[in-house]
Amino acid sequence: MDLQLNKKTALVTGATAGIGLEIARTLAVEGAEVLITGRSRAKLEQAVEDIRASGGKLIRGVLADAATAEGAALIQKEASDVDILVNNLGIYESKPFAEITDADWLSYINVNVMSGVRLSRAYFRGMLKRNWGRIIFISSESALTIPPDMIHYATTKTAQLSISRGLANLTKGTKVTVNSVLPGPTHSEGIVDFLRSVSSEPEAPADKIVAEFFAKHRSSSLLQRMIEPGEIASLVAYLASPLSAATNGAVLRAEGGLVTTLD
């Protein structure tokens, strides 16, 4: 299927590994001109090379921290306008609520929420003016099913849904859409370390730790396995495409089969 992404420009934040990398790769291979962000020059350059090796020719990176106002300004300097914005940058951890400090809360808000707010604010007006655009927030199933050991993380992911829906309300009658994707547990950099941090046997083999996680913490999961980043990327690429014109203001849960359109 041709996703009709030729001549479209895309920005994907936090795209040097995991879900972000696979989203950027898929968009680039589909013909979009893609800009990715990262804080490590070595990882950024490696990601660009990796995507080019997969056939994504129009790919470049910008060394910038999208979680800061300075980083957002640098990104805008590199790309004054984009057709597709994927707000993927995010951090997560398991931590008891009583131990989550003010600094933790502010850090999570800056990285998971404000990175998307600043860039959406920068590009939304141009999309409306051109009467075409896509803003996609990579949220999490934790936005709806709040893990008791990740309340700060879940709060930021729920905030993304509010921002996404609010922006969608501002697109009435246009060809601009704003949607949120809510992945379940996904294979990504650092996921095994995270699962070990919540496991009863941190030194157990990885497959045993994963099985315990789903049995104890995600018993309602239909997949009962980690989602592959490429599976999320395929969904995001469709939402970024002109083919998804009728999907707006939606929350798409990538695990569990829930697709809720909020119109």
Side-chain angles (χ1 to χ4, degrees), residues 1 20 23 32 35-36 45 60 66 74 96 103 107 132 146 155 159 182 184 197-199 202-203 209 232 240 244:
M1 180 183 292
I23 291 172
L35 177 69
I36 63 174
E45 291 175 351
R60 60 194 177 97
L74 183 57
S107 175
W132 201 93
I146 314 300
T155 298
L182 282 63
S197 75
V198 298
S199 173
E203 302 307 317
I209 288 175
I232 305 298
S244 69

Side-chain angles (χ1 to χ4, degrees), residues 52-112:
R52 282 180 180 155
S54 299
K57 297 178 181 178
L58 300 176
I59 176 73
R60 60 194 177 97
V62 55
L63 188 66
D65 184 356
T68 67
E70 295 79 11
L74 183 57
I75 293 166
Q76 293 168 55
K77 213 173 164 186
E78 290 291 322
S80 58
D81 274 309
V82 296
D83 299 307
I84 301 159
L85 170 62
V86 182
N87 291 310
N88 170 73
L89 180 64
I91 54 175
Y92 63 93
E93 68 176 346
S94 173
K95 197 167 190 177
F97 176 73
E99 297 178 15
I100 304 171
T101 65
D102 285 3
D104 291 331
W105 278 102
L106 292 173
S107 175
Y108 271 71
I109 290 169
N110 272 323
V111 176
N112 293 356

